[in-house]
Amino acid sequence: MRRIFITTICLIASICVSSSAETNQDRMTWFRDARFGMFIHWGLYAIPAGEWKGKQIPGIGEWIMNRAKIPVAEYEQLAKQFNPVDFDAERWVRTARAAGQKYMVITAKHHDGFAMFHSKVSKYNVYDATPFHRDPIAELAAACKRNHMPLGFYYSQTQDWHEPDGNGNTWDFDPAKANFDKYLHEKAIPQVRELLSNYGPVALIWFDTPRIITEAQSKELADVVHTLQPKCLVDGRIGNDKGDYRSTGDNEIPVKVLDYDWETPVTTNDTWGFKTSDTNWKSAQTLIRQLVDVASKNGNYLLNVGPTSKGDIPKPAIERLQQAGAWLKTNGAAVYGVKPSPYPYEFNWGSVTAKGDRLYLGVVEWPKNGSFELYGVSNRVRKAVVLGEKNSPLKFKQSKTDGHDALRLEVPSNAPNPDVSVIALDLEGTPSVNTELVQQPDGRVTLNCALGKLPAETKLKVSNRGITSGWLDTSEKVQWDFQLYRPGSYQVLARTTPQRGGGGWETSLWEQGNELQVTIGDKKISHALGNDGKIADARNPLTPDIKSQLGVVSLQPGAHHLTVEALKIGSERKLGVRLREIELVPVSE
Ligand code: H79
């Protein structure tokens, strides 16, 4: 009797779910194919553009109100100057389309609280409070509709520096008196309702900095979105795991394939909102490399532009977008609709994506000796071509050297593509690769902490990028198994990373006084973590690694087990050991 009862309930529940609600899986399909979107940060902050009362304000442009502690009454005055005469929604959409971007997300309201749409909920909006007296969100929605471009809205649901009950403005308001639930119900939710009711189909809502939002509040907000538009996605920063997909940190590219849907927002220079003094543009090659790398790890790449107060996307950003678009025309097959890399680790030369019986090798570091090698593919290779090259297919040889699969391709000695050259491998069957950590053809063995084993009773945390934190105790360790193919002497390198400081990376912190011990079989080396130089991490150029040479070991081919422990832990900053990787680099005789 009881069993029948339970079965009936389950049946009713499943009928209800399938008939009334769009499931998360249904909603995600377009997003998984898209892989590349345009983020637009545009608001009143584009007017001061990083400068307030003659002073350069450090940090990201859209944070100027906070960083310069500008009183609401003063910041509000900017609205009277906002008149972006060059704004042309159609042009922005065409720019995104030509760049190969498959969706757009624009700031409908950032932390400053100013609505960039015609809101009936608050007069503090672009239509009512500016001489522009237009609704750019409506114009963009219309242009996106004409161009079949999915459009999403950024909405800062917790921080609102304009409102006493919003979060974040501690210079005008007393946080102890703030009633966040009131703010949520009287401004945030009503404005999100407007966005979902007045602008046609919305692809996604991009919430940010959840901070104090409770689980019940995040759920209520997500339900509002899905009730009004069941197909609309909610990003992970709604808080409390209530999103349809997850978001990494700003400008953070994880080190390995993540087995869930995710997206990373990335700046073209260092700011999101326009800032006159920021000319630190990433090269087009870096952006393209990041795009392929994000796709190779199952993610989406949301690349930001910060238009000026006149409504123009800065020229250096346009140029990079054009270059990305040209690259995608030839190489888009390696990005759109792909599956992630079958390998769990990164390659020094670039990134791998997959589709059906194909592997795409996105090669950034093109070999100079006319030969490209890849280990671990056990399928027979039918054909290898470079995308966009009319020449005959590449010659190749597959062998089983020392018991492992090796593929050697004959390649031109100059990179076919100046940014990222894509080699497409047609395989017999779907890719089947060796997922163990192995020595690479360049002789290196790279052991990232995200791929290592931690003790059962550990306090260590390992970030998306494989950086340890909480390593404050000498009983902690990280261990790896790997295969070595070539005998020889290897330099053991540790890559640690600084912690971002309150003022961004320029004030990042690194702990002195750490000493590591590495054990490989019966060999032990120990060394203080010195600072033997910074290594740029090409995938995450904003966060440099600090390299320390620990010593040299001589190793024989075969299976090895490596353990890293801390013999001493510096205590000045309580940062502990922020280890990202141990790397074995062959010592050339
Ligand atoms: O919208 C963009 C950023 O404004 C937003 N997320 C992306 C997509 C964001 N909100 N908060 N943060 C990012 C973290 C901000 C950290 C900092 Fe700061 C702002 C570092 C420097 C300025 C706050 C103020 C912490 C130190 C000073």
Side-chain angles (χ1 to χ4, degrees):
M1 175 62 196
R2 198 157 151 233
R3 188 171 297 158
I4 294 171
F5 178 69
I6 291 170
T7 319
T8 316
I9 298 234
C10 291
L11 198 66
I12 292 169
S14 72
I15 290 169
C16 289
V17 168
S18 58
S19 63
S20 69
E22 189 94 9
T23 67
N24 171 280
Q25 291 304 307
D26 299 336
R27 283 197 285 266
M28 291 310 301
T29 314
W30 72 267
F31 184 83
R32 287 177 187 149
D33 287 343
R35 294 287 180 215
F36 188 23
M38 174 185 274
F39 212 174
I40 303 173
H41 274 70
W42 198 42
L44 295 181
Y45 38 79
I47 299 171
E51 189 184 314
W52 194 252
K53 297 191 172 163
K55 271 210 198 94
Q56 280 297 315
I57 308 300
I60 39 188
E62 71 285 2
W63 269 70
I64 192 165
M65 181 179 176
N66 184 307
R67 292 299 296 265
K69 304 291 176 252
I70 305 169
V72 167
E74 266 182 66
Y75 190 86
E76 272 181 340
Q77 302 305 315
L78 289 170
K80 294 185 186 151
Q81 295 171 49
F82 192 74
N83 195 12
V85 287
D86 291 347
F87 172 68
D88 177 351
E90 181 73 26
R91 205 167 66 217
W92 286 8
V93 179
R94 289 195 182 162
T95 299
R97 195 174 60 187
Q101 293 169 313
K102 301 290 189 186
Y103 60 110
M104 297 172 77
V105 182
I106 185 165
T107 45
K109 192 208 79 172
H110 204 267
H111 308 330
D112 66 0
F114 186 72
M116 289 296 285
F117 59 101
H118 187 187
S119 173
K120 302 274 158 53
V121 175
S122 160
K123 285 269 179 235
Y124 194 47
N125 76 72
V126 64
Y127 187 89
D128 291 317
T130 75
F132 191 48
H133 205 60
R134 277 159 55 184
D135 183 341
I137 298 286
E139 292 179 29
L140 194 61
C144 281
K145 190 172 177 211
R146 283 194 296 275
N147 290 280
H148 308 288
M149 173 70 80
L151 175 64
F153 301 131
Y154 175 108
Y155 191 91
S156 176
Q157 80 278 29
T158 306
Q159 292 197 69
D160 190 316
W161 306 329
H162 188 256
E163 312 298 333
D165 291 318
N167 181 269
N169 183 341
T170 51
W171 56 99
D172 284 298
F173 311 120
D174 178 0
K177 294 204 184 114
N179 179 348
F180 177 68
D181 203 58
K182 183 167 187 290
Y183 163 77
L184 188 71
H185 287 95
E186 291 181 6
K187 184 169 178 184
I189 289 179
Q191 285 198 330
V192 168
R193 283 184 181 280
E194 290 184 311
L195 289 169
L196 289 158
S197 308
N198 304 337
Y199 300 94
V202 178
L204 59 88
I205 305 273
W206 218 96
F207 297 107
D208 200 5
T209 63
R211 291 193 170 191
I212 57 166
I213 196 168
T214 65
E215 184 169 356
Q217 289 166 335
S218 294
K219 180 171 186 313
E220 184 182 352
L221 194 50
D223 287 347
V224 166
V225 176
H226 290 145
T227 304
L228 287 168
Q229 295 208 20
K231 284 194 163 58
C232 182
L233 299 178
V234 170
D235 82 321
R237 297 195 190 176
I238 190 169
N240 303 293
D241 239 345
K242 298 297 177 212
D244 290 297
Y245 65 90
R246 291 190 222 179
S247 169
T248 63
D250 292 351
N251 279 303
E252 182 188 59
I253 299 187
V255 70
K256 62 175 184 180
V257 178
L258 303 177
D259 61 5
Y260 47 79
D261 298 301
W262 62 276
E263 176 184 57
T264 184
V266 173
T267 48
T268 320
N269 46 358
D270 290 341
T271 184
W272 304 88
F274 179 70
K275 192 173 175 182
T276 320
S277 66
D278 186 345
T279 54
N280 192 25
W281 302 96
K282 294 178 182 124
S283 69
Q285 185 189 40
T286 296
L287 301 175
I288 295 166
R289 166 179 212 160
Q290 288 186 322
L291 168 63
V292 183
D293 195 55
V294 164
S296 85
K297 291 160 179 167
N298 201 34
N300 279 22
Y301 187 67
L302 187 61
L303 180 61
N304 183 70
V305 293
T308 66
S309 61
K310 283 230 155 68
D312 296 302
I313 298 175
K315 197 152 169 264
I318 299 265
E319 287 164 357
R320 282 155 180 79
L321 290 172
Q322 284 169 342
Q323 205 168 323
W327 184 89
L328 279 160
K329 266 214 159 80
T330 310
N331 298 290
V335 170
Y336 303 124
V338 291
K339 294 268 178 288
S341 169
Y343 292 94
Y345 51 82
E346 291 179 337
F347 293 97
N348 289 330
W349 48 259
S351 313
V352 180
T353 59
K355 199 186 288 171
D357 293 352
R358 264 193 166 190
L359 280 183
Y360 294 101
L361 316 179
V363 186
V364 188
E365 309 292 339
W366 191 258
K368 292 184 181 67
N369 61 358
S371 155
F372 181 89
E373 282 187 279
L374 179 68
Y375 290 165
V377 177
S378 61
N379 312 67
R380 203 179 70 82
V381 175
R382 291 177 196 270
K383 192 177 167 191
V385 296
V386 175
L387 295 188
E389 290 294 290
K390 301 210 169 53
N391 302 342
S392 56
L394 301 174
K395 287 191 184 143
F396 63 88
K397 207 178 135 204
Q398 285 184 281
S399 63
K400 230 174 167 59
T401 0
D402 309 326
H404 74 93
D405 293 301
L407 167 67
R408 184 190 289 268
L409 298 149
E410 274 181 43
V411 296
S413 47
N414 290 319
N417 189 296
D419 297 319
V420 178
S421 306
V422 176
I423 301 173
L425 297 179
D426 280 331
L427 308 178
E428 213 159 71
T430 52
S432 159
V433 309
N434 180 7
T435 56
E436 291 171 304
L437 295 172
V438 301
Q439 181 171 32
Q440 291 299 307
D442 65 3
R444 292 178 183 228
V445 179
T446 304
L447 306 170
N448 184 284
C449 289
L451 301 168
K453 272 199 297 280
L454 304 178
E457 300 283 312
T458 186
K459 293 208 174 69
L460 284 189
K461 288 216 165 64
V462 180
S463 75
N464 270 334
R465 291 191 56 232
I467 303 161
T468 59
S469 58
W471 194 330
L472 301 165
D473 189 301
T474 49
S475 68
E476 302 284 5
K477 56 178 90 164
V478 187
Q479 304 182 73
W480 299 265
D481 292 307
F482 65 92
Q483 294 286 338
L484 196 79
Y485 299 135
R486 284 183 242 161
S489 297
Y490 292 87
Q491 175 68 250
V492 183
L493 286 182
R495 291 176 182 230
T496 52
T497 74
Q499 183 171 66
R500 189 188 165 125
W505 285 105
E506 58 278 22
T507 58
S508 56
L509 305 168
W510 193 72
E511 188 78 87
Q512 303 285 344
N514 289 325
E515 184 177 337
L516 292 189
Q517 172 172 276
V518 169
T519 310
I520 313 175
D522 57 2
K523 302 198 163 68
K524 264 191 196 338
I525 52 172
S526 57
H527 206 281
L529 282 183
N531 189 344
D532 297 330
K534 284 184 179 171
I535 319 177
D537 171 3
R539 291 163 168 95
N540 287 281
L542 289 180
T543 58
D545 287 346
I546 292 172
K547 182 176 79 173
S548 303
Q549 302 193 349
L550 303 181
V552 174
V553 286
S554 137
L555 297 171
Q556 290 304 311
H560 289 277
H561 185 81
L562 187 149
T563 305
V564 56
E565 290 157 284
L567 296 181
K568 285 192 194 131
I569 298 174
S571 54
E572 191 192 339
R573 302 180 190 278
K574 297 277 178 291
L575 290 176
V577 182
R578 291 174 48 83
L579 180 68
R580 195 160 84 82
E581 281 171 5
I582 296 287
E583 190 169 39
L584 307 183
V585 183
V587 179
S588 45
E589 256 99 19

